[in-house]
Amino acid sequence: MTLDGTTFLAIVLMGLVTYLTRIAGLVIARRFRLDGRARAALDALPVSVLAAVIAPTLLTSSVAESLAGVVTIFAAFRLPLLGTVVVGVVAVVVLRLALGFSR
Amino acid sequence: MPAMVAGMPFATLCGALAIAKGLSPAEVFAMSLLVFAGGAQFAAIEIWSFPVPVFALVVSTLLINSRHVLMGVSLRPKLHALSGSQRVLGCFTLADENWALAERRATVRPISPTYFLVMGIVFWANWVLWSLVGALLGPVLGDPRRFGADFAFTAIFIGLIVSLRTGRRTGAVIVASALTAALVRVLIGSPWHVLSGALAGFLATAVLRVDQPESR
C-alpha cells in the first residue's frame, strides 16, 4: 500500500478539475444561457476525447483489434453498455486466437 | 438498482487495469474516492506511464468531464428544493448514471434533497468499493490481456461514444478526432494524441457550425 508523490499529486489535481466541471454547470445555469456554438462545442468534447483515447488501439495495434472494434461498434447500436462490452471482449479473444496473438 | 449492478464490473475492471499499469491499491482507492468519474479514470489509466504525465492526465480528465458542465446546467433548475450548501456538496457525486436517474425522476416528481444526496453517496461508495476490489483481485487474476479484459475498456468507450452522439455531425467529429489521434500517436507518441485528437474534434465542431444540437 504505497502512495507515490507525483501520482498522488496527479490524482488530487484530477479530482479538483473534475469537481470544477461538476460545480461549473450549477453556477453557469444561474448566470448565463449556453446556446449555439458554445453548447455544441461542449457537447462534442467528451465524444472527441473518448475517440482520441481509443483510436490508436483500434487503428494502429493489430488486425484483431480493428476487426473487434467494427464488431463492437455494431453491437453498441443494438445493445446496452454491458452487452456491448461482452460482445467486444469475446470478439477480440476469438480474433486474437484466429489471427495469432501478436502486437 | 440495475444501474449500480451494471457499474460493478466496470469499477472492478478499472481497479484491475490500474494495478496492471503499476498503480498501487491505495492510489486506486484515492483516485476513485476523489475523481469518481469512470470514463476519465479509464482514459487516465490508459495513458498512465512513468514518469507520470501529470499535465496530460489533468487536461484529459478536464476535457472528458466537461460534459458534467452541461449536466449541471440542465439539472440546476430541478434542484431548487436543495439548499446552496447541499448543492455544493451534492454535486461532488454528480455522474452519468445518477444524473440520468435524477433527470428521469424530475419528469415525474420534484427532486428532494434526500433523494439526490443519498443516491449520489450510494453510487459513489459503490464505485470506490468495487474499484478497490478490482485492485486487490487484479494481481490474483493475472494479465488482463489473457481474457481480452484490456479490450473491455475500448468497448466501454465505443458504447459511451455511441450513446453520447447527438446527430450525424458527431460522426465527422469522431473521425477527425480518431484519425488525428492515431497519427499523432504514431508520429509523436503518447499521451499527446489525446490532446491533439480532442482539439481536432473541437475544430471539426466549429467548422461544421453545429447550430441546433439536441439537448442532453
Side-chain angles (χ1 to χ4, degrees):
Chain A
M1 286 282 185
T2 52
L3 270 174
D4 173 70
T6 319
T7 298
F8 191 64
L9 174 74
I11 290 170
V12 169
L13 290 176
M14 284 165 62
L16 195 68
V17 296
T18 304
Y19 182 72
L20 286 180
T21 64
R22 289 180 165 131
I23 192 89
L26 303 184
V27 176
I28 290 170
R30 289 194 55 158
R31 280 153 218 242
F32 307 102
R33 254 184 58 79
L34 270 187
D35 51 7
R37 260 187 217 207
R39 200 187 166 102
L42 262 181
D43 237 356
L45 262 184
V47 167
S48 60
V49 175
L50 294 173
V53 171
I54 58 170
T57 302
L58 290 177
L59 300 175
T60 65
S61 49
S62 83
V63 183
E65 276 82 7
S66 304
L67 288 178
V70 174
V71 173
T72 312
I73 292 169
F74 275 107
F77 278 95
R78 285 161 184 79
L79 300 173
L81 192 54
L82 206 55
T84 303
V85 174
V86 172
V87 168
V89 167
V90 170
V92 87
V93 168
V94 170
L95 284 162
R96 276 175 186 166
L97 283 175
L99 302 168
F101 198 107
S102 62
R103 178 171 279 213
Chain B
M1 263 179 146
M4 272 176 50
V5 178
M8 276 167 41
F10 297 131
T12 312
L13 182 68
C14 187
L17 288 178
I19 294 300
K21 271 283 181 151
L23 280 91
S24 73
E27 288 158 356
V28 171
F29 179 74
M31 195 199 288
S32 288
L33 195 74
L34 296 175
V35 181
F36 177 54
Q41 285 182 234
F42 274 111
I45 289 159
E46 176 72 5
I47 61 177
W48 208 284
S49 54
F50 296 92
V52 183
V54 178
F55 181 71
L57 285 168
V58 172
V59 174
S60 147
T61 302
L62 179 64
L63 293 178
I64 292 177
N65 288 333
S66 62
R67 69 182 186 287
H68 290 145
V69 178
L70 284 180
M71 285 159 33
V73 167
S74 119
L75 200 57
R76 173 65 182 81
K78 294 145 196 158
L79 296 179
H80 49 75
L82 280 73
S83 71
S85 55
Q86 282 173 335
R87 280 194 296 266
V88 167
L89 283 176
C91 78
F92 179 79
T93 59
L94 182 70
D96 299 306
E97 300 88 349
N98 52 21
W99 169 74
L101 289 174
E103 289 280 352
R104 206 158 63 188
R105 173 90 164 195
T107 61
V108 187
R109 70 190 82 164
I111 296 172
S112 71
T114 315
Y115 173 82
F116 189 72
L117 298 174
V118 168
M119 182 175 66
I121 289 171
V122 167
F123 269 92
W124 183 42
N126 189 54
W127 176 257
V128 174
L129 175 72
W130 287 102
S131 60
L132 188 60
V133 168
L136 297 173
L137 285 183
V140 182
L141 296 173
D143 183 4
R145 279 178 62 86
R146 274 201 304 150
F147 321 99
D150 56 319
F151 195 78
F153 152 81
T154 309
I156 291 169
F157 272 32
I158 290 174
L160 284 177
I161 290 171
V162 168
S163 68
L164 284 173
R165 77 193 191 285
T166 49
R168 271 193 298 167
R169 288 186 193 87
T170 313
V173 173
I174 293 167
V175 170
S177 168
L179 289 181
T180 309
L183 204 64
V184 170
R185 171 69 171 255
V186 172
L187 295 179
I188 302 172
S190 182
W192 300 109
H193 61 285
V194 178
L195 304 185
S196 6
L199 188 64
F202 190 77
L203 290 176
T205 322
V207 169
L208 289 168
R209 297 179 55 93
V210 189
D211 294 315
Q212 291 289 318
E214 286 162 20
S215 58
R216 290 193 57 223

